[in-house]
Amino acid sequence: MSRLSRRALPAVALSGLALPALGQSRYPDRTITVIVPFAAGGPTDTVARLVAEAMGRDLGGTVVVENVGGAGGTLGAQRTAQARPDGYTILVHHIGMATIPTLYRRLAYDPVNGFEAVGLITEVPMTLVAKRGIEANNLQELIALVRRQRDRINLANAGVGAASHLCGLLFQSALQVPMTTVPYRGTAPAMNDLVGGTVDLMCDQTTNTTEQIRAGTIRAFATTTENRVGALPDVPTAREAGLPNFEVSVWHGLYAPRNTPREIVNRLSASLQTALRDPNLVRRFNDLGTEPVSQDKATPEAHRAFWQADIARWRPIIQAAGQYAD
């Protein structure tokens, strides 16, 4: 036996012993379920399906989306929080993860400590939109109309705790004018009634409104971000249109149940970061008026810090409104 062969023998033997152990610990070795706590076809569902598809390619396995809607997103979140912490049940949720701790005073799970933050996904701009026949040509005329007609103006939302509900709260707070709110069981029926002219206004994510705005079935008066949205270059920001205290974006994040092993959380986070660089995902996000977060935000640490800060931001707004989900 040559000197080289003798040196190689221990390494070969050791690698042969290690292979079975590595095979047994491979993650994932079965289907991963992404829980979306809202109905299929809505903006969070759209984001989740694009992320799941891209992560599945990176992980080399099947990642499926399951819609568990109801109770403002808390049913799906509860399902995830109570799942086995093995990385095979994970959650995509939006800004509601920052408002649920205040909106809901009694829950069957811990809305903060029941989860491991995996990484942020995207910050989706909001748009203030109206039915086509609204009697206003710009945001200032719309504000004047709202102040004149007050609670005769109907403001639709997708249910208590939904992004459209939160944005509507902020709009009423910015104007200091109450409106008649019309909650729906999801974004799709709310949008259907806005298109049909049954309700007057809605504030919702670009992922849900961009195609309707482009098609001319609804009218857009402002976006709620610092800069104009690339997919809607002709729509001014609220600040540009004269309403500076009306800025909000709907961020989405990925979560695992509490006590999921750190190595699995890190693997999911690394896969998320890879997914957010996927050309197809980036293109589809851009088509919907949003973009992936930067890589440094798609980490557990950045996600957790951002989440905690947003809980603190929304708590006084919700408490001032006095509108609780329970």
Side-chain angles (χ1 to χ4, degrees):
M1 182 180 293
S2 70
R3 181 178 300 175
L4 180 59
S5 298
R6 285 196 300 271
R7 288 177 178 173
L9 182 59
V12 171
L14 286 173
S15 80
L17 291 171
L19 281 173
L22 287 172
Q24 291 168 4
S25 63
R26 180 184 180 277
Y27 171 83
D29 61 6
R30 54 189 170 89
T31 298
I32 296 173
T33 298
V34 177
I35 299 293
V36 173
F38 302 103
T44 302
D45 180 67
T46 299
V47 167
R49 289 180 187 277
L50 290 170
V51 168
E53 181 182 1
M55 286 184 66
R57 286 193 293 270
D58 174 69
L59 291 168
T62 303
V63 182
V64 300
V65 171
E66 181 181 351
N67 298 93
V68 184
T74 61
L75 294 185
Q78 178 180 333
R79 168 92 164 266
T80 307
Q82 295 175 347
R84 184 186 295 274
D86 56 8
Y88 289 98
T89 301
I90 55 180
L91 173 74
V92 169
H93 208 318
H94 63 30
I95 192 174
M97 287 293 279
T99 59
I100 283 171
T102 307
L103 272 173
Y104 291 82
R105 292 162 292 185
R106 292 177 296 275
L107 287 169
Y109 68 100
D110 189 324
V112 178
N113 297 316
F115 303 90
E116 304 291 344
V118 176
L120 293 171
I121 298 170
T122 184
E123 293 184 63
V124 182
M126 302 290 281
T127 49
L128 181 63
V129 292
K131 64 182 182 182
R132 285 182 298 179
I134 198 84
E135 296 178 352
N137 296 308
N138 53 51
L139 183 58
Q140 286 303 311
E141 290 186 10
L142 181 65
I143 291 172
L145 177 68
V146 169
R147 285 179 170 154
R148 189 166 61 249
Q149 297 194 4
R150 300 178 70 82
D151 55 5
R152 286 181 289 167
I153 296 291
N154 294 323
L155 178 64
N157 65 59
V160 175
S164 51
H165 169 240
L166 301 173
C167 190
L169 280 180
L170 195 63
F171 184 56
Q172 293 176 81
S173 176
L175 268 58
Q176 292 295 297
V177 175
M179 285 173 266
T180 299
T181 57
V182 184
Y184 287 80
R185 294 177 63 84
T187 301
M191 178 58 72
N192 287 341
D193 275 6
L194 186 69
V195 171
T198 304
V199 291
D200 302 310
L201 298 174
M202 186 162 72
C203 185
D204 206 6
Q205 303 170 63
T206 54
T207 46
N208 189 50
T209 62
T210 296
E211 292 182 0
Q212 297 285 1
I213 293 168
R214 287 172 171 170
T217 58
I218 58 175
R219 296 178 59 189
F221 284 87
T223 60
T224 64
T225 46
E226 182 179 356
N227 301 307
R228 292 198 181 199
V229 175
L232 300 168
D234 297 328
V235 180
T237 68
R239 182 177 294 275
E240 287 177 326
L243 191 62
N245 53 341
F246 183 46
E247 291 185 359
V248 61
S249 62
V250 177
W251 53 270
H252 293 76
L254 184 65
Y255 304 82
R258 181 183 181 182
N259 294 326
T260 298
R262 185 66 187 189
E263 59 269 24
I264 291 179
V265 171
N266 289 341
R267 179 68 185 99
L268 287 168
S269 182
S271 182
L272 174 63
Q273 292 167 43
T274 298
L276 295 182
R277 296 193 298 269
D278 181 273
N280 179 64
L281 180 144
V282 173
R283 178 182 59 79
R284 288 290 293 122
F285 271 22
N286 289 341
D287 288 344
L288 295 167
T290 189
E291 59 186 27
V293 299
S294 59
Q295 294 288 294
D296 61 311
K297 290 184 177 181
T299 65
E301 295 75 20
H303 182 184
R304 173 68 66 171
F306 186 94
W307 179 19
Q308 295 284 358
D310 223 33
I311 290 172
R313 177 198 178 196
W314 280 99
R315 183 178 294 116
I317 295 173
I318 294 168
Q319 290 174 337
Q323 296 182 13
Y324 298 97
D326 56 4

